[in-house]
Amino acid sequence: MTAKPNTRVDIGGLELKNPVMTASGTFGYGREFADLIDLNRLGAIIVKGLSLEPSKGNPPLRIVETQCGMLNAIGLENVGLEAFVKKKIPFLQKLTTPILVNIYGKTKAEYAELAARLEDIEAISGIEVNISCPNVKAGGVAFGAFPQTAAEVVRAVRSRTTRLLVVKLSPNVTDIVEIARSVEAAGADSVSLINTITGMAIDIESRRPKLANITGGLSGPAIKPVALRMVWQVAQSVKIPVIGVGGIMNAKDALEFLIAGAAAVQIGTANFINPRATLDVIEGIESYLIAKEIPDISEIIGSLEV
């Protein structure tokens, strides 16, 4: 087969030209990569996590390289909603690639307010809700740690927006399938998984944590097998689309997630190593489909035989 295969996918009411998205927190606000790749070739861009007010994040040291990945404790540093709308949207609205905004808050009301204030911005195609954040009214326990609190956040956001609603799930839970089902019932259009796995690193000379925050989120190749397993489990258990995230470094990795049942994938840590990672994955998927004489990407999504 020499004809270009159809790589269009649907992630819950939003059609993408291909299944390759950027993972929030690894691609800035898009403009940072504009001189390195053609942003309009991407399936979608998910910008850095956004809060109502600006956040300085955690003190340094905030990033530590590991043997097979990266620990980060950035602390969700961002410019805040007002600056995002004034300084980031003018560039993003020039792109043809769909833009999703990752949002987070310390209370359900903050999540809902963010969603409401983003509702009328035409440049935004959807919202990704980060429920891995601490619930300040529940002693700092993450919203996504329990089905009930996860669902409450999603219902609060859903009540304030008609946009595509993607919910990003944390792997630091007892049963991710139960969490996925709860947010589906609460109104999520799709789920993305997984977020980072909590880890730490120690300096043996000083006998102190390498990260100022002590612990951080582990990403990169080390978490791929865990992410792949969770995506497979969730894809079999919900009716909404699943977006695979976690350690995807190349097209082969991405194809594994698609075969496991993911409708799309997000590229994260790989962007720091290879700014062209997203385009390499897109081209690699197309080459695979051509070599296997598969005319439509839908034929491989969820095709795992067990």
Side-chain angles (χ1 to χ4, degrees):
M1 187 180 82
T2 56
K4 188 173 181 178
N6 176 28
T7 58
R8 302 190 77 84
V9 298
D10 187 288
I11 58 168
L14 177 65
E15 187 178 70
L16 310 183
K17 64 176 75 75
N18 64 65
V20 180
M21 312 167 71
T22 63
S24 176
T26 67
F27 210 73
Y29 299 97
R31 190 167 198 161
E32 293 86 340
F33 281 74
D35 293 333
L36 302 171
I37 65 170
D38 181 358
L39 299 177
N40 287 319
R41 291 184 60 191
L42 302 178
I45 294 172
I46 304 182
V47 299
K48 189 172 177 59
L50 185 68
S51 56
L52 282 171
E53 301 297 330
S55 173
K56 294 181 179 180
N58 292 323
L61 195 61
R62 306 197 298 187
I63 293 179
V64 171
E65 189 173 352
T66 70
Q67 288 178 314
C68 47
M70 181 178 77
L71 280 169
N72 94 82
I74 301 299
L76 296 167
E77 175 191 357
N78 74 100
V79 298
L81 178 61
E82 184 177 350
F84 174 74
V85 173
K86 289 182 178 180
K87 299 179 180 180
K88 308 300 181 182
I89 287 295
F91 170 79
L92 293 171
Q93 66 186 5
K94 299 175 184 178
L95 302 176
T96 59
T97 296
I99 305 299
L100 277 68
V101 178
N102 179 287
I103 66 170
Y104 74 92
K106 296 178 181 179
T107 64
K108 289 180 289 183
E110 286 187 13
Y111 278 100
E113 181 65 17
L114 261 170
R117 291 172 63 178
L118 292 169
E119 176 73 0
D120 295 328
I121 301 175
E122 293 184 7
I124 297 171
S125 296
I127 293 171
E128 182 182 58
V129 183
N130 178 3
I131 57 173
S132 299
C133 300
N135 179 355
V136 295
K137 292 188 176 181
V141 177
F143 285 100
F146 302 103
Q148 180 180 343
T149 51
E152 287 173 356
V153 170
V154 175
R155 278 194 291 268
V157 173
R158 179 81 286 171
S159 70
R160 302 294 295 277
T161 183
T162 59
R163 302 283 187 185
L164 169 77
L165 183 53
V166 182
V167 180
K168 190 165 190 177
L169 306 183
S170 168
N172 303 306
V173 296
T174 302
D175 187 351
I176 198 166
V177 170
E178 189 178 6
I179 305 294
R181 286 173 173 163
S182 72
V183 300
E184 177 184 34
D189 295 310
S190 57
V191 288
S192 55
L193 59 147
I194 58 176
N195 209 327
T196 56
I197 294 175
T198 305
M200 67 183 296
I202 295 173
D203 182 333
I204 62 171
E205 299 302 325
S206 65
R207 301 183 194 177
R208 297 181 63 84
K210 289 185 177 180
L211 290 170
N213 193 60
I214 304 177
T215 62
L218 177 65
S219 62
I223 73 169
K224 180 194 153 194
V226 177
L228 192 61
R229 183 264 297 177
M230 289 186 169
V231 163
W232 174 67
Q233 288 179 314
V234 170
Q236 295 181 94
S237 305
V238 299
K239 295 179 181 179
I240 55 178
V242 174
I243 301 168
V245 198
I248 300 173
M249 308 301 288
N250 50 49
K252 177 182 175 296
D253 292 335
L255 286 161
E256 287 188 61
F257 278 86
L258 296 174
I259 292 168
V265 295
Q266 293 179 12
I267 311 300
T269 300
N271 292 313
F272 295 112
I273 302 167
N274 171 21
R276 273 190 51 88
T278 47
L279 299 190
D280 288 347
V281 171
I282 292 169
E283 293 166 2
I285 290 173
E286 290 180 351
S287 295
Y288 173 87
L289 294 175
I290 291 171
K292 298 292 184 182
E293 298 186 342
I294 300 172
D296 196 300
I297 197 168
S298 63
E299 294 184 27
I300 68 167
I301 293 174
S303 63
L304 181 68
E305 298 180 6
V306 294

